[in-house]
């Protein structure tokens, strides 16, 4: 293989180009691809740490059935026979596939073809249902097709960017960096953030509209009315290129007649509403970006259309620097949409209209094509629970953690007669419930393509051999399809074979009537496919270099070519707050983790920023609950309960708590927020309401708290709260329990003692049994008389425990000094050493205390200067908003 391979980041929908390089020592380095038009060399903290995640720990390397390793032949036969028998006995509707935005387009295509064209059911849905299906539904209602009009360059051409329900700084960091760079180059550019929560994205932006949760449609309906009534509508465009305007305006006027009424309903000042409306009116180049805060709602589709309506009214669509722009969460959510990975789409952006079904059937020579939509994610797992679905195949995703009412999903899977899981990781919460596990190739081993948020198709290229017997997902499904009797229709020998068929279908009887057309790539030979450069669809004979922007000609993909205004009658979230559950539970991502952490938790530097699950809560709400910062909290909804560390923040919204989605049983006990989330879905998109579940919080008061650092992995069976955090060459455990052991010393020895081959171990201990305080340190002296810290354990009756940072530095050292040894039992650094603080910059491991000191000592006044002084923020830039906060904090103190 070449020493440098061009590929694409596997995490988010930004779709950054990556260069994977073989280093002289045989290791791998990953850096941003300067030639990729999505990121021009930038990467965020997750992308920059990709090389740290390539080890084989926890990899599923061989197929197994009920935990027993078997050959591929046997595993594939078992899957094919299991599915065939279930279909024979109970019909095609008794089987389902649940797939993922992590799959490559080629994998997705084969899955969709097998299920819809040959098994004859549409019971295939994707975890993208949880991510952006409301955008799909909104696009289709307005444009006739699921078309994203804009591109990333439009962010740089705009003079007003509105970020709605999008913590761009954390969830799409490279686009946030592009926006920040655009601000530096264009003093006219203003950014408005519409979000109930003050996030890092709000730092330094011109306006933050902290609207009440779920009130977006009132805000944008009000904007539609205000723009119209103040002469900012563009009648020529409305009359010639749209329909339904009068009904949309009437509905908007009914809900949001004046800025004053909008301000009252949304819980923000009238002044701020008017400022926002005026900026929209006076700025021609306006982009409205929306993301999960809009999509993950029981009114998500309406929210999307309320935004699109305003762009149609003002003809701010299809033109440079303008348009409604959905940022997708997953790396290949868009590719999944293109092949029909959603249960309510067919293939190549076609629907279940008879003409589409008949066309796809002819193209595929499909014997039993599905003729109507299948079950969407929430309904699919409900059907598993009810026993209607008896065989399910889950690929590259972890619904046992990520679905609403996740505990119910786990119970349903546990009772399902046949659960097949193909994944690269073997110990996910979902894989534990599988009867058959199939080892899939991982990022770096896979070959195929992905599409990002701006319709740009990029190649993912392999630069590693697949380990063990891992195989590409398209290959696995092809083999099963052949065993089910469909050999002729699944002749694929390579990812390229699949891609060109997908491209040919997109152009089949198209004539420009369907938006998704990449027929210009249908003739690619192997070399052409290998060399494919990033390109935005449509890619046709007429447009061989792709299409930067859609709808420039004012024609849409509806029957009459007109865009459709949608009348929006706002709806509040389905489940209202009550005296019993008075808080809104909002869920989302943190800066340095991805999904259920199966990959990002492998990188020590990505674990340092947010090591534990937390619940962010406003200090006044916390005070009313008697909840202290850093204490453990119990969060409860009608659907489940969890434990997390309380994080008091004035940035939190009163009455709203925020809990990250990432932790599962694999990394933490009783910390799966999916267990708590309510199941209502949007009626059009089927997307669950992940941002609004009525909840309550109470202090969780265990009898003991503690932490452990060790050079190897440990197990804590008697801790009620237990989080494992991989550090650099050590493991950290945060633990707490209801019942203290009878003898702390014996307990500690039983847990952390490890046989030592060539040296002697020694314990230093402090025990105050009366107050429930125990400190134990295990040292190890080698034959050369150097003594190193092997493990340490600190227990207290409350969370007041020593800082972990100094001990974490010590445990990776080859020896401890006499000074350090003296301080070990206290757990605090000698006076001569400075204690580090929480991690801020993941790339260079720079902590908050170091940054504060640097700002103070060097009298720094801007973020760039911090980077020059101590490197923080000078690589990926993901921590720049946090640096700005520290900068302001220190400089305010200095001025005071
Ligand atoms: Fe990957 Fe970060 Fe780029 Fe997203 S923004 S694609 S996670 S490097």
């Amino acid at each position: 293989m070449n020493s440098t391979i061009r590929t694409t980041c596997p995490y988010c929908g930004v779709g950054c180009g990556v260069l994977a390089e073989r280093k002289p020592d045989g290791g791998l380095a990953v850096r941003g691809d300067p030639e990729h038009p999505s990121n021009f060399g930038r990467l965020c903290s997750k992308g920059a740490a990709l090389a740290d995640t390539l080890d084989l720990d926890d990899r599923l390397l061989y197929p197994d059935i009920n935990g027993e390793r078997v050959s591929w032949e046997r595993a594939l036969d078992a899957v094919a026979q299991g599915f065939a028998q279930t279909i024979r006995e109970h019909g095609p509707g008794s089987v389902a596939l649940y797939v993922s935005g992590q799959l490559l387009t080629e994998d997705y295509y084969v899955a969709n073809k097998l299920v819809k064209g040959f098994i004859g059911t549409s019971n295939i849905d994707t975890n993208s249902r949880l991510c952006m299906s409301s955008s799909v539904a909104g696009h289709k209602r307005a444009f006739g097709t699921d078309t994203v009009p804009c591109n990333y360059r439009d962010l740089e051409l705009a003079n007003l960017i509105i970020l709605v329900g999008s913590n761009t700084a954390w969830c799409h960091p490279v686009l946030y960096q592009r926006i920040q760079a655009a601000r530096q180059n264009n003093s006219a550019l203003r950014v408005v953030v519409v979000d109930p929560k003050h996030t890092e994205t709000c730092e330094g932006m011109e306006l933050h509209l902290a609207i009440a949760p779920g009130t977006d449609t009132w805000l944008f309906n009000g904007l539609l009315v205000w723009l119209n009534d103040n002469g900012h509508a563009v009648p020529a465009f409305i009359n010639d290129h749209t329909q339904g305007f009068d009904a949309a305006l009437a509905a908007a006027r009914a809900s949001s007649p004046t800025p004053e009424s909008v301000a009252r309903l949304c819980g923000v000042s009238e002044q701020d509403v008017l400022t926002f409306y005026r900026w929209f009116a006076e700025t021609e180049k306006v982009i409205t970006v929306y993301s999960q805060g809009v999509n993950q709602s029981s009114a998500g589709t309406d929210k999307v259309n309320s935004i699109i309506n305003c762009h149609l009214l003002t003809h701010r669509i299809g033109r440079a620097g303008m348009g409604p722009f959905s940022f997708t969460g997953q790396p290949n959510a868009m590719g999944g949409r293109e092949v029909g990975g959603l249960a309510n789409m067919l293939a190549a952006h076609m629907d279940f209209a008879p003409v589409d079904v008949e066309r796809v059937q002819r193209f595929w020579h499909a014997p039993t094509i599905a003729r109507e939509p299948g079950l969407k994610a929430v309904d699919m797992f409900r059907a598993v629970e009810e026993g209607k679905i008896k065989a399910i195949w889950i690929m590259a995703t972890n619904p046992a953690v990520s679905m609403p009412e996740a505990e119910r999903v786990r119970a349903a899977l546990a009772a399902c007669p046949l659960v097949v899981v193909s994944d690269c990781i073997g110990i996910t919460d979902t894989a534990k419930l599988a009867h058959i596990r199939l080892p899939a190739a991982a990022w770096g081993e896979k070959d195929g393509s992905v599409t990002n948020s701006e319709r740009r198709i990029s190649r993912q290229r392999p630069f590693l051999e697949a380990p063990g017997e891992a195989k590409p997902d398209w290959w696995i499904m092809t083999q099963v399809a052949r065993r089910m009797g469909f050999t002729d229709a699944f002749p694929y020998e390579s990812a390229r074979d699949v891609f060109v068929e997908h491209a040919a279908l997109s152009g089949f009887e198209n004539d420009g009537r369907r938006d998704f057309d990449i027929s210009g790539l249908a003739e690619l030979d192997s070399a052409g496919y290998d060399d494919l450069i990033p390109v935005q669809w449509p890619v046709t004979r007429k447009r061989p270099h792709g299409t930067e922007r859609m709808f420039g000609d004012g024609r849409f993909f509806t029957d009459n070519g007109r865009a459709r205004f949608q009348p929006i009658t706002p709806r509040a979230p389905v489940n209202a707050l009550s005296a019993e559950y008075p808080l809104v539970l909002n869920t989302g991502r943190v800066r340095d983790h991805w999904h259920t952490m199966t990959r990002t938790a492998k990188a020590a530097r990505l674990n340092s920023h947010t090591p534990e699950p937390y619940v962010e809560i406003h200090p006044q709400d916390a005070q009313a609950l008697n909840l202290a910062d850093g204490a453990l909290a119990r969060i409860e909804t009608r659907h489940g309960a969890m434990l997390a560390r309380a994080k008091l923040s004035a940035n939190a919204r009163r009455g709203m708590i925020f809990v990250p989605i990432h932790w599962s049983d694999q990394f933490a006990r009783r910390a799966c927020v999916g267990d708590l989330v309510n199941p209502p879905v949007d009626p059009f998109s089927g997307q669950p309401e992940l941002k609004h579940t009525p909840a309550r919080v109470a202090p969780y008061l265990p009898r003991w708290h503690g932490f452990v650092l060790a050079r190897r992995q440990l197990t804590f069976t008697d801790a009620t709260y237990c989080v494992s955090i991989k550090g650099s060459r050590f493991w950290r455990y945060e633990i707490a329990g209801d019942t203290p052991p009878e003898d702390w010393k014996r307990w500690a020895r039983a847990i952390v003692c490890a046989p030592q081959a060539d040296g002697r171990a020694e314990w230093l201990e402090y025990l105050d049994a009366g107050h429930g305080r125990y400190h134990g340190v295990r040292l190890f002296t080698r034959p050369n008389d150097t003594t190193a810290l092997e493990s340490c354990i600190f227990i207290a009756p409350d969370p007041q425990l020593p800082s972990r940072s100094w001990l974490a530095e010590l445990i990776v050292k080859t020896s401890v000094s006499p000074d350090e040894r003296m301080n070990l039992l206290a757990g605090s650094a000698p006076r001569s050493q400075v204690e580090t603080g929480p991690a801020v910059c993941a790339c260079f491991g720079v902590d908050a205390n170091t940054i504060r000191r640097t700002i103070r000592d060097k009298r720094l006044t801007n973020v760039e200067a911090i980077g020059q002084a101590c490197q923080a923020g000078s690589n990926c830039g993901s921590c720049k908003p946090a640096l700005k906060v520290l900068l302001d904090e220190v400089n305010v103190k200095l001025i005071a």
Side-chain angles (χ1 to χ4, degrees), residues 9 11-12 14-16 43-44 46-47 173-174:
C9 175
Y11 289 126
C12 86
V14 179
C16 295
L43 291 179
C44 74
K46 295 182 285 289
V174 164

Side-chain angles (χ1 to χ4, degrees), residues 129 206 310 324 329 524 530-531 584 643 650-651 709 759 836 891 893:
R129 178 72 60 196
E206 280 66 26
C310 297
L524 286 181
D530 283 347
D531 295 341
V584 175
L643 301 176
N651 284 338
L709 302 183
T836 53
N891 285 333
K893 278 191 191 152

Side-chain angles (χ1 to χ4, degrees), residues 150-161 189 283-288 311 316-324 548-549:
C150 311
N151 60 66
Y152 298 160
R153 223 166 68 77
D154 285 327
L155 296 168
E156 282 137 5
L157 298 173
N159 286 321
L160 176 64
I161 298 174
L189 171 58
T283 315
E284 191 180 19
K285 293 184 174 177
V286 180
I287 292 251
T288 308
H311 282 267
R316 285 173 185 151
I317 189 167
R319 302 161 66 202
M322 308 178 210
E548 190 179 26
R549 199 171 289 111

